[in-house]
């Protein structure tokens, strides 16, 4: 029994077996199968984009287009337009945009601040806020309203003069307010002609009206 114990003690302890590390293998073929089509599509997209898509116009180019358009309209003269009103309307709609994909539409501009005055025979006080609209392309609209601001003081003066001709009784009804709106539209366009500008205002909206 003791010999067996001694024999067991004399046996060296067996070292634990080391596990072999697995080598990391990259599936290059599989990666190429997924990546290469994407790279090819990206290259084709870049090539087609450069050949088909034109860069946007710079501000200088846009202003040059607007100036050329104005010069052409000036050279055509106003006699032909007056002789054929239907043709005039058609040409005005077509020239509403300097860029082909931007068509004409209504653009609005509000007057700065309210207009207030006494009514005829001291019958009351009228306060209004109004906005005007034009029908043309975006670029022409921006240019027109930029110049429109310079005429606003003169326009305010004639509008106030018109308001003073009204009585409270005339403006108490919806018909009276509508008549005032139409008269303001006519007054604005007439004054623009006197100031040397085009009477392009299409509508007038009374955004606020206070009658006391």
């Amino acid at each position: 029994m003791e010999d067996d114990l001694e024999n067991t003690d004399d046996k060296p302890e067996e070292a634990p077996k080391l596990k072999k590390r697995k080598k990391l293998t990259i599936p290059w073929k599989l990666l190429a199968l997924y990546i290469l089509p994407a790279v090819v599509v990206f290259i084709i997209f870049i090539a087609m984009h450069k050949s088909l898509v034109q860069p946007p116009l710079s501000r200088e180019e846009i202003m040059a287009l607007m100036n050329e358009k104005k010069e052409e309209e000036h050279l055509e003269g106003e006699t032909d337009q007056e002789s054929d009103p239907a043709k005039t309307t058609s040409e005005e709609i077509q020239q509403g945009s300097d860029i082909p994909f931007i068509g004409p539409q209504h653009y609005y501009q509000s007057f700065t601040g309210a207009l207030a005055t006494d009514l005829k025979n001291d019958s009351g006080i009228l306060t209004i806020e109004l906005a005007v609209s034009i029908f043309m392309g975006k670029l022409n609209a921006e240019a027109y309203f930029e110049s429109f601001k310079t005429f606003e003081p003169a326009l305010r003066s004639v509008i106030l003069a018109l308001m003073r001709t009204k009585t409270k009784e005339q403006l108490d009804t919806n018909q009276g307010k509508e008549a005032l709106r139409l008269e303001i539209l006519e007054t604005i366009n007439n004054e623009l002609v006197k100031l040397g500008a085009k009477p392009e205002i299409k509508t007038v909206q009374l955004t606020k009206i206070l009658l006391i």
Side-chain angles (χ1 to χ4, degrees), residues 18-211:
L18 297 174
K19 293 183 179 179
K20 292 183 179 180
R21 292 183 179 179
K22 292 183 180 180
K23 293 183 178 180
L24 179 63
T25 58
I26 300 175
W28 295 107
K29 292 183 178 180
L30 188 61
L31 287 175
L33 183 64
Y34 284 100
I35 294 175
L36 283 178
V39 172
V40 171
V41 171
F42 180 74
I43 293 173
I44 294 173
F45 171 78
I46 294 297
M48 293 184 67
H49 185 274
K50 289 184 177 179
S51 61
L52 298 178
V53 180
Q54 296 180 353
L57 296 175
S58 64
R59 185 177 182 83
E60 290 76 14
E61 291 173 334
I62 293 174
M63 294 302 296
L65 284 173
M66 293 178 64
N67 292 332
E68 289 177 4
K69 197 73 175 180
K70 290 179 181 178
E71 290 176 1
E72 290 176 1
E73 291 174 356
H74 181 70
L75 293 174
E76 287 175 359
E78 298 178 358
T79 55
D80 294 338
Q81 294 179 356
E82 292 176 358
S83 62
D84 192 350
K87 184 179 178 181
T88 301
T89 304
S90 176
E91 288 177 353
E92 286 178 353
I93 293 176
Q94 291 176 3
Q95 68 85 34
S97 174
D98 293 310
I99 300 177
F101 53 82
I102 301 179
Q105 55 183 306
H106 284 281
Y107 290 91
Y108 290 85
Q109 173 81 9
S110 296
F111 267 59
T112 304
L115 293 88
T117 185
D118 294 330
L119 294 175
K120 187 177 180 180
N121 299 328
D122 294 328
S123 57
I125 298 175
L126 175 63
T127 303
I128 63 171
E129 291 180 3
L130 58 88
V132 297
S133 76
I134 55 178
F135 185 76
M136 57 179 62
K138 180 176 174 57
L139 296 178
N140 283 343
E142 291 175 353
Y144 186 88
F145 279 138
E146 192 64 28
S147 62
F148 183 83
K149 293 177 183 177
T150 61
F151 303 130
E152 190 171 318
L155 295 175
R156 292 175 68 91
S157 177
V158 294
I159 294 171
L160 288 170
L162 172 64
M163 292 164 61
R164 293 189 193 101
T165 65
K166 305 298 179 182
T167 63
K168 185 176 181 181
E169 290 75 21
Q170 289 175 317
L171 300 174
D172 271 335
T173 63
N174 292 331
Q175 292 82 358
K177 294 181 178 67
E178 178 64 14
L180 175 64
R181 185 184 70 83
L182 296 176
E183 287 184 49
I184 291 175
L185 172 61
E186 183 179 3
T187 300
I188 288 175
N189 280 324
N190 290 339
E191 186 65 16
L192 287 174
V193 172
K194 293 178 183 178
L195 295 172
K198 291 184 178 181
E200 294 282 3
I201 304 303
K202 301 301 181 186
T203 63
V204 168
Q205 300 297 331
L206 300 180
T207 56
K208 182 178 179 180
I209 182 166
L210 177 63
L211 184 62

